[in-house]
Amino acid sequence: MKYQVSDNVKAKFEALTACEKTVKALDFMKEDNDNIIDKQIELTLIPAPTFQEQKKAARLLEMFKEEGLSDCHIDDYGNVVGIRKGTGGGKTVLVEGHMDTVFPIDTKLEIIKEDGFIKCPGICDDTRGVASVLSTIRALNAAGIETKGDIHFVGTVQEEGTGALKGMQYYVQHHPELQASISVDGDGYQSITYEATGIQTYEVSFHGIGGHACGAFAKVANPIHAAGRAIAKISEFEVPKEPMTTFAITNLEAGSIESVHAIVKEAKIRFNFRSNSQVELEKLRDRIFGAIEEACKEETDRWGMDTITYSVKHICDVNAGNQDSHAPIVEGAMIASNYLGCEEPELGNGGSTNCNRALEAGLPAVCLGGGMDYDSKCHTLEEQFRIADAYKGCQITLLLALLCAGTDAADSIIE
């Protein structure tokens, strides 16, 4: 069934887009497209692996100041912050993109323009999101738009990998005044994420006595064998397709070429599991650790000489989160995407984005970004950004920010 937007959101959106200043802001974004892409390129060429975003943060802070935001600063966690004050009576809204990328600090960053694309590691995820944040600020200023609510413009840290969305988590936890959140992750205006996939990642080390591969045979239990038993048990798990639930052993470490003839003292596995349901996520965690317990006991009982034990390192934890697909902020994003030419936006009911942390904090939230008609090859060295219609990803950010913060043309859609 085709997605239907409520009459309330539709009326406010029509009033907003009929406003002369809104039209002026949207036109400005199109005219300013080349300039924003230049800023995107400049930021892309500043390496910013997770936990090493400081140089990019320093430059983004300068850009926020150049655009006239107030209270510009880098907070205690490393997020870059600038506030655009409202006139009062609206909703306080967060508009953010994350500064970190998945690439090591020494990755070659070279801009290549060909076939209508700009190619470079990090050009989309998420430097384009940060560029959309900048574009929104510039358009508001150029059109002279005053919002009723304050807008917090933020470049967040530690979104990727073991960063586990912690920059966003810190920001929403330390700003209880926020009433809505818009994340921009990548390019495009055709994809809207409104729910959160729960994620847990652990490292488990299996411990034994160790010894010579031959001389200690049948005298000691083998930590690698215990790890293997655990992996075999976990690999046989069946999990529900709905709600989406997954698991994977992602690393196995033990021994070395120098100790190729030894029974090791320690073997280590890392594993990641996910679900769109917090209940299923916790059930799966219990099953995994049950399998690890069984594996240690079986390996111990097999030899009866010593005891295999294990220790646990918790790497990251993100709660699953739910939101009605017809929450006003979701409807606002959908009607804005329609307005910009996408008849059927992709409505994602799960994902690992900064939207997760906003939902976790109880905020109405969406993550914008992603095109459905080409592969941006994010997280690969071939990452690419399509130039055509790039400004539309900025326009949807602007429209949704205005709908959430409220203006003289239309009050906030946030209840």
Side-chain angles (χ1 to χ4, degrees):
M1 182 180 294
K2 186 176 176 61
Y3 188 94
Q4 297 293 323
V5 175
S6 66
D7 290 341
N8 179 52
V9 171
K10 188 181 298 184
K12 289 180 178 179
F13 185 80
E14 289 174 353
L16 178 68
T17 52
C19 175
E20 183 179 339
K21 287 186 176 181
T22 304
V23 174
K24 183 177 180 181
L26 294 172
D27 288 344
F28 174 82
M29 284 179 147
K30 186 174 182 178
E31 295 164 3
D32 198 44
N33 184 57
D34 291 346
N35 181 55
I36 287 298
I37 289 177
D38 287 344
K39 292 181 183 294
Q40 178 183 350
I41 289 171
E42 179 186 351
L43 290 170
T44 300
L45 293 175
I46 304 173
T50 307
F51 307 115
Q52 296 177 275
E53 304 96 337
Q54 294 84 356
K55 289 185 178 179
K56 184 173 283 188
R59 179 62 185 118
L60 183 60
L61 179 63
E62 291 175 352
M63 290 179 173
F64 277 4
K65 291 178 179 178
E66 290 165 2
E67 301 304 336
L69 296 182
S70 63
D71 192 22
C72 293
H73 66 282
I74 296 176
D75 70 17
D76 291 341
Y77 208 82
N79 299 306
V80 181
V81 183
I83 310 295
R84 196 172 190 274
K85 298 294 289 183
T87 58
K91 303 294 184 181
T92 302
V93 180
L94 169 62
V95 178
E96 68 85 27
H98 68 87
M99 296 182 292
D100 56 323
T101 70
V102 300
F103 304 100
I105 196 74
D106 59 352
T107 301
K108 182 180 179 181
L109 299 177
E110 180 184 8
I111 297 296
I112 299 173
K113 296 182 180 181
E114 61 181 15
D115 303 325
F117 288 89
I118 301 173
K119 303 181 179 183
C120 186
I123 191 70
C124 276
D125 187 9
D126 184 31
T127 316
R128 182 57 189 180
V130 175
S132 292
V133 171
L134 284 167
S135 177
T136 301
I137 302 165
R138 289 174 56 79
L140 290 170
N141 290 341
I145 294 175
E146 290 185 310
T147 56
K148 291 183 176 181
D150 296 349
I151 302 180
H152 292 217
F153 291 99
V154 180
T156 51
V157 296
Q158 297 179 28
E159 192 269 356
E160 300 285 6
T162 57
L165 322 175
K166 290 195 180 89
M168 180 69 162
Q169 182 182 43
Y170 178 91
Y171 197 80
V172 296
Q173 286 180 345
H174 286 77
H175 291 274
E177 70 273 22
L178 293 173
Q179 295 167 289
S181 176
I182 302 167
S183 295
V184 191
D185 200 337
D187 65 309
Y189 61 99
Q190 300 167 310
S191 178
I192 298 152
T193 299
Y194 72 97
E195 289 189 326
T197 299
I199 304 169
Q200 293 191 21
T201 306
Y202 287 88
E203 175 183 285
V204 170
S205 298
F206 299 81
H207 307 284
I209 293 174
H212 192 278
C214 178
F217 178 75
K219 299 177 181 178
V220 299
N222 191 325
I224 294 180
H225 291 182
R229 291 176 188 273
I231 292 170
K233 290 175 182 293
I234 294 166
S235 69
E236 294 298 323
F237 285 176
E238 292 187 6
V239 293
K241 291 183 178 180
E242 291 294 336
M244 185 277 292
T245 304
T246 67
F247 62 88
I249 306 294
T250 56
N251 296 96
L252 170 62
E253 294 178 8
S256 65
I257 188 63
E258 290 79 14
S259 61
V260 70
H261 293 149
I263 296 172
V264 300
K265 290 185 176 181
E266 180 181 278
K268 186 180 297 181
I269 64 172
R270 299 184 186 92
F271 50 90
N272 170 266
F273 52 104
R274 307 181 182 212
S275 180
N276 286 345
S277 162
Q278 190 66 23
V279 171
E280 290 294 335
L281 191 73
E282 292 170 1
K283 283 168 57 177
L284 184 53
R285 179 188 60 213
D286 291 345
R287 290 177 67 192
I288 289 172
F289 279 100
I292 290 168
E293 290 272 4
E294 290 176 4
C296 290
K297 185 177 186 304
E298 289 173 6
E299 180 63 17
T300 297
D301 292 346
R302 170 69 175 82
W303 305 106
M305 302 295 291
D306 65 328
T307 301
I308 295 291
T309 61
Y310 70 93
S311 58
V312 179
K313 178 182 178 182
H314 188 193
I315 296 175
C316 73
D317 194 339
V318 179
N319 288 338
N322 303 104
Q323 182 178 214
D324 193 300
S325 63
H326 281 276
I329 194 170
V330 182
E331 290 195 349
M334 290 291 282
I335 195 171
S337 182
N338 293 155
Y339 179 81
L340 295 171
C342 183
E343 292 185 7
E344 295 186 29
E346 182 179 19
L347 188 59
N349 65 344
S352 175
T353 71
N354 273 340
C355 178
N356 294 40
R357 294 301 191 184
L359 291 172
E360 191 176 78
L363 294 171
V366 294
C367 180
L368 307 173
M372 298 184 292
D373 56 349
Y374 80 97
D375 181 6
S376 60
K377 300 181 182 179
C378 289
H379 289 208
T380 74
L381 294 175
E382 291 73 43
E383 191 165 338
Q384 60 183 6
F385 169 74
R386 191 179 66 179
I387 299 171
D389 292 337
Y391 60 89
K392 290 186 177 181
C394 303
Q395 289 178 330
I396 190 173
T397 307
L398 171 79
L399 289 168
L400 189 56
L402 293 175
L403 282 172
C404 291
T407 65
D408 287 340
D411 288 336
S412 173
I413 59 173
I414 304 300
E415 298 168 350

